[in-house]
Amino acid sequence: MKIFSIALNTFRENLRDKLLYNLLIFALLMIGSSLILMQLTLGEFHRLILDIGLGSINFFGVLIAIFVGIGLVSKEIEKKTIYTIVSKPVARYQFLLGKYLGLSLTLVINTAIMAAGLLAVLYFQDVPVHAVLFKALGMIVLEFMVITAVALLFSTFSSATLSAIFTLAIYVIGHLTTDLKAFGQKMEGAGRSVLEGMYYILPNLDRFNLKGNVTHQLDVPAGDLLMIAAYGLAYTAFLLMLASVIFQRRDFR
Amino acid sequence: MDEVAKPIVKIQNLRKVFRVGFWGRRVMAVDGVSLEVQRGEVFGFLGPNGAGKTTTIKMLMGLIYPTEGTASLFGRPIGDPSGKAKVGFLPESPYFYDYLTSREFLRFYGHFFGLLGTALDKRIDELLSLVGMTHACDLQLRKFSKGMLQRVGIAQALINDPELVILDEPMSGLDPIGRKEVRDLILRLKESGKTVMFSSHILHDAELLCDRVAMIMKGKLVACGHVSELIAGDTTHEVEMVIDRLLPEALERIKPLAGKVVLQGERVMVVLSSQQAVDQALEVIRSAKAKLVALTPHKASLEDLFIREAKGIQSAVGARVS
């Protein structure tokens, strides 16, 4: 109940944030722009629309997750709004979880709107829609949830600006972890252990990327999907727990 | 169980060390404060800016963890939800979710206490009229002035009908009318049987409102007790006399008794600092057939005590340095 009202309040806060609408409009423009870009290519129209569409959804969703996510907690501390919440019978982890769920709700709704834009473009261009597209969208949302948890974790102990930089770094590295491993295997000794350690600790965000499957109309087996989902949820849960532990020990000065 | 005799707030040897700056220099913000607040009283927590009032209150509310010492609310250790459920808290110069209207804002806080639906709406209406904000119930908080925010903040602190209300600097930044309203509100809370603890550096307010006060300076508790007792311990009793038609030779006899003599044409004002001097001066006035216009005892105030303690602390620090 308490978590739910904090989530709802966070959702309301997000809805009244202008940043959200700016990003959403840009995303829809990007998806729409694939129609113009289509004129420049020969054949492969479908792939282009799907590629640009899913790419924009992912990119702008991540921007929202990071730039709204980092403010979730640090803004509350800076503006001292947290004083009145923590002094009520609300546990700190409940506050954190509520904030997280509120932004997740915002992201799900945003993704739905962007997906509707993409579907509209696909419909008008008579592109056949396969089930794998929705699976890919689901995985994109899961990636957002992991990124949001990363942003939330950083914002429990550092400033908004630093959190943004850290989270962005994790996002970029998270998509390159396979390369990290490949690099590591070419190395010896300590360098190898460090890179392999990073491979296992950092989120493997590329696992959530099913864009290739969509453009090539390759279905993903349910078992694989389940594994990816389990990985995403477990990773998110771990990050949230870590964030709660740090947040619990913090002084609000 | 004897609920009445038990203190509602109990602070024992509370200490807080902050680490500041890059090297983590240790700064003692609160240094061994112990005090108790009894049920039904208005308790003033006084001290100059930066004395450690807010830090102590934040420790009570579970916003900051004490380095040493313990504190309890309603017999529960700080941070315990069942203790917090009976407390209302207004932080210093509060900031709230400025995208919410005051109604939405109060509804949000009501949910934390399991208040719902019409019961909550009714409570919100009561509170908005109590703090005189009914007219602005659908306005977003970012359009509010400081005084309006303070009132909504007080409404927020009272949403759960708390037994104990803790207000951190409730009068700071308010105009005289706003301050009077807050004072009235505190008295109304006391009348309805609530315990109020508030911090302030405005001593006049404290003197008007408080049953007991604690004074804190540089993190240390320097005085704690009933206002009247604290003032009674003060020895600076002065009496001001205004006399008409006092002949020059009579004036000469009074002058040695007085600490200060001011001549205003026909009128003389003298300040006497002991009961004996007052008796002797009255004798002179009677025998010289002068007219006593006014006799005003200057009561010692909390301010005198405050300034004396502040000077004491400063000279102690100065002695340590030199």
Side-chain angles (χ1 to χ4, degrees), chain A residues 1-2 5-6 9 12-13 16 76 79-81 83-90 92 248-253, chain B residues 16 18-20 58 61-65 81 84 89 91 95-100 104 108-109 111-113 156:
Chain A
M1 178 65 213
K2 289 168 189 170
S5 19
I6 293 173
N9 189 46
R12 191 182 288 147
E13 178 186 0
R16 294 182 189 176
E76 295 256 354
K79 294 183 101 188
K80 301 179 182 172
T81 44
Y83 291 0
T84 43
I85 307 270
V86 173
S87 58
K88 302 267 184 285
V90 178
R92 292 191 183 185
Q248 184 63 38
R249 300 161 58 100
R250 210 186 142 151
D251 275 346
F252 302 120
R253 284 209 240 166
Chain B
K16 178 70 197 181
F18 283 125
R19 294 191 167 272
V20 293
K58 277 188 184 169
M61 298 317 302
L63 295 167
I64 288 180
Y65 295 105
K84 282 194 213 170
F89 172 55
Y95 299 84
F96 301 120
Y97 300 96
D98 48 14
Y99 50 87
L100 295 180
E104 287 170 332
F108 174 49
Y109 284 92
H111 288 158
F112 296 145
F113 296 97
Q156 163 274 133

Side-chain angles (χ1 to χ4, degrees), chain B residues 9 108 139 151 185 238-239 244 282 289 292 297:
Chain B
V9 180
F108 174 49
L139 205 62
R151 292 188 209 191
L185 195 73
E238 289 189 332
V239 175
D244 268 359
L282 284 173
K289 300 225 163 46
L292 182 64

Side-chain angles (χ1 to χ4, degrees), chain A residues 110-157:
Chain A
N110 259 290
T111 312
I113 293 170
M114 292 191 282
L118 176 61
L119 286 172
V121 171
L122 293 175
Y123 175 78
F124 285 118
Q125 293 298 316
D126 290 325
V127 182
V129 172
H130 299 277
V132 69
L133 174 64
F134 295 100
K135 291 176 183 170
L137 284 169
M139 290 304 110
I140 285 177
V141 170
L142 211 59
E143 183 179 353
F144 294 163
M145 296 192 64
V146 175
I147 300 279
T148 308
V150 172
L152 191 73
L153 172 64
F154 283 124
S155 78
T156 53
F157 62 86

Side-chain angles (χ1 to χ4, degrees), chain A residues 6-23:
Chain A
I6 293 173
L8 216 60
N9 189 46
T10 308
F11 178 62
R12 191 182 288 147
E13 178 186 0
N14 292 339
L15 288 190
R16 294 182 189 176
D17 193 343
K18 291 195 182 72
L19 178 73
L20 186 77
Y21 295 100
N22 287 333
L23 290 175

Side-chain angles (χ1 to χ4, degrees), chain A residues 93-115:
Chain A
Y93 78 87
Q94 291 175 322
F95 172 79
L96 215 56
L97 223 54
K99 285 269 147 190
Y100 178 76
L101 291 177
L103 179 53
S104 299
L105 180 64
T106 310
L107 283 167
V108 167
I109 289 175
N110 259 290
T111 312
I113 293 170
M114 292 191 282

Side-chain angles (χ1 to χ4, degrees), chain B residues 8-299:
Chain B
I8 285 185
V9 180
K10 191 171 174 140
I11 299 178
Q12 279 173 310
N13 201 22
L14 214 55
R15 204 178 290 268
K16 178 70 197 181
V17 177
F18 283 125
R19 294 191 167 272
V20 293
F22 183 73
W23 303 107
R25 194 166 56 86
R26 292 159 63 92
V27 172
M28 184 82 84
V30 174
D31 189 359
V33 167
S34 302
L35 58 89
E36 287 180 357
V37 178
Q38 304 296 339
R39 189 176 290 271
E41 71 180 353
V42 176
F43 189 89
F45 196 41
L46 312 175
N49 295 328
K53 301 187 296 281
T54 297
T55 306
T56 308
I57 287 180
K58 277 188 184 169
M59 284 194 274
L60 268 184
M61 298 317 302
L63 295 167
I64 288 180
Y65 295 105
T67 313
E68 251 178 68
T70 55
S72 64
L73 297 171
F74 298 95
R76 302 275 181 168
I78 38 178
D80 188 301
S82 67
K84 282 194 213 170
K86 296 188 218 168
V87 182
F89 172 55
L90 172 72
E92 185 181 8
S93 43
Y95 299 84
F96 301 120
Y97 300 96
D98 48 14
Y99 50 87
L100 295 180
T101 68
S102 33
R103 190 174 283 281
E104 287 170 332
F105 172 76
L106 292 173
R107 195 171 291 144
F108 174 49
Y109 284 92
H111 288 158
F112 296 145
F113 296 97
L115 291 167
L116 287 171
T118 44
L120 179 57
D121 284 335
K122 198 165 153 268
R123 179 79 190 137
I124 290 172
D125 286 335
E126 277 169 25
L127 285 172
L128 286 172
S129 83
L130 178 74
V131 297
M133 290 295 294
T134 313
H135 62 285
C137 64
D138 292 318
L139 205 62
Q140 281 191 14
L141 296 184
R142 64 192 153 94
K143 297 182 179 133
F144 277 26
S145 72
K146 198 166 175 188
M148 290 162 87
L149 275 180
Q150 195 83 357
R151 292 188 209 191
V152 176
I154 291 174
Q156 163 274 133
L158 299 177
I159 189 91
N160 55 330
D161 196 18
E163 287 176 43
L164 168 68
V165 186
I166 297 182
L167 309 167
D168 194 2
E169 296 283 358
M171 282 110 161
S172 74
L174 296 185
D175 58 21
I177 300 170
R179 272 170 56 189
K180 168 136 185 6
E181 281 173 355
V182 172
R183 279 205 302 267
D184 291 346
L185 195 73
I186 290 176
L187 289 176
R188 227 177 302 159
L189 288 172
K190 182 187 157 80
E191 270 166 30
S192 58
K194 313 234 179 276
T195 311
V196 182
M197 176 179 182
F198 74 95
S199 76
S200 181
H201 59 261
I202 303 167
L203 298 159
H204 180 65
D205 293 333
E207 221 170 320
L208 288 176
L209 289 172
C210 296
D211 299 308
R212 289 197 312 137
V213 295
M215 219 176 256
I216 182 171
M217 277 179 197
K218 303 221 182 230
K220 281 191 201 306
L221 205 65
V222 293
C224 183
H226 288 273
V227 176
S228 52
E229 284 170 17
L230 288 178
I231 296 171
D234 204 314
T235 49
T236 55
H237 285 292
E238 289 189 332
V239 175
E240 186 186 296
M241 254 182 215
V242 181
I243 312 154
D244 268 359
R245 301 195 314 251
L246 190 65
L247 297 170
E249 66 259 26
L251 179 60
E252 287 308 314
R253 284 167 63 199
I254 288 183
K255 261 187 186 169
L257 305 170
K260 200 161 101 185
V261 178
V262 181
L263 292 166
Q264 295 168 317
E266 287 275 281
R267 190 162 280 192
V268 182
M269 202 252 315
V270 292
V271 179
L272 305 161
S273 51
S274 74
Q275 192 56 49
Q276 202 191 353
V278 173
D279 289 341
Q280 288 176 6
L282 284 173
E283 200 70 33
V284 172
I285 292 166
R286 217 172 292 136
S287 62
K289 300 225 163 46
K291 188 184 172 203
L292 182 64
V293 179
L295 191 145
T296 327
H298 277 202
K299 259 173 56 189

